[in-house]
Amino acid sequence: VLPAVTLTPMTVVQPTSAVPSRITAQWVKNDPADNTIVLAGTKFDIAWTIKNIGTTTWNTNYSYGYLSGAKYFERLTYNFRKEVKPGEEVTILVDAIAPSTSGSYYTWWKIKDDQGNNIGDVDLTITVVQPNETPKTTPTTAATP
């Protein structure tokens, strides 16, 4: 004789709505602007301005680091240099050296909280040229009325 099996009905779990993050970064601007022409081998700074649109103050254990794309930096991770309160903007800097080969270079960086969680991202595309080289541009055509 086999023992009787009792089946227990499973409860249905309702999906919960996404809770807004207390820690969120928003891109404001970058300098240089995307597609800026940079001379091969030139040292330059990348400055991204971001805004704390969350409810938590960012501390100096928050960081930003290289994620993917072209690597042309003196360092791949940096810590924040000051606290950033909710609603405030901060400019984060990266020391860069333009690649030695002409072309378009894209890079993508992640911003992380003091626990290592991603809270935002920034990116940049530059165009590298050699001395006396004319950058290759894509012709644009004006729309006719």
Side-chain angles (χ1 to χ4, degrees):
V1 171
L2 295 172
V5 176
T6 305
L7 297 176
T8 306
M10 293 181 68
T11 57
V12 176
V13 177
Q14 294 296 323
T16 57
S17 62
V19 178
S21 174
R22 301 172 316 136
I23 308 170
T24 307
Q26 178 183 47
W27 173 88
V28 175
K29 65 181 178 178
N30 50 272
D31 181 27
D34 278 318
N35 300 311
T36 292
I37 296 168
V38 181
L39 189 61
T42 303
K43 285 188 174 193
F44 66 102
D45 287 332
I46 299 171
W48 285 291
T49 302
I50 56 174
K51 184 175 184 176
N52 180 346
I53 60 171
T55 58
T56 302
T57 297
W58 303 341
N59 61 48
T60 55
N61 290 322
Y62 280 54
S63 63
Y64 50 103
Y66 168 83
L67 180 69
S68 70
K71 284 186 192 177
Y72 51 89
F73 316 102
E74 292 184 8
R75 292 174 43 198
L76 298 180
T77 60
Y78 295 82
N79 277 41
F80 278 56
R81 300 197 314 197
K82 67 175 192 167
E83 285 191 345
V84 183
K85 294 182 175 132
E88 289 183 343
E89 291 181 2
V90 65
T91 299
I92 56 177
L93 299 172
V94 171
D95 297 317
I97 304 170
S100 59
T101 306
S102 298
S104 179
Y105 292 88
Y106 173 80
T107 189
W108 180 14
W109 289 58
K110 280 287 182 190
I111 304 163
K112 296 184 177 190
D113 68 13
D114 54 4
Q115 304 298 310
N117 300 307
N118 291 336
I119 64 167
D121 59 337
V122 289
D123 62 355
L124 178 69
T125 300
I126 60 168
T127 301
V128 174
V129 297
Q130 301 298 318
N132 302 319
E133 177 183 10
T134 302
K136 295 180 178 94
T137 58
T138 306
T140 57
T141 55
T144 50

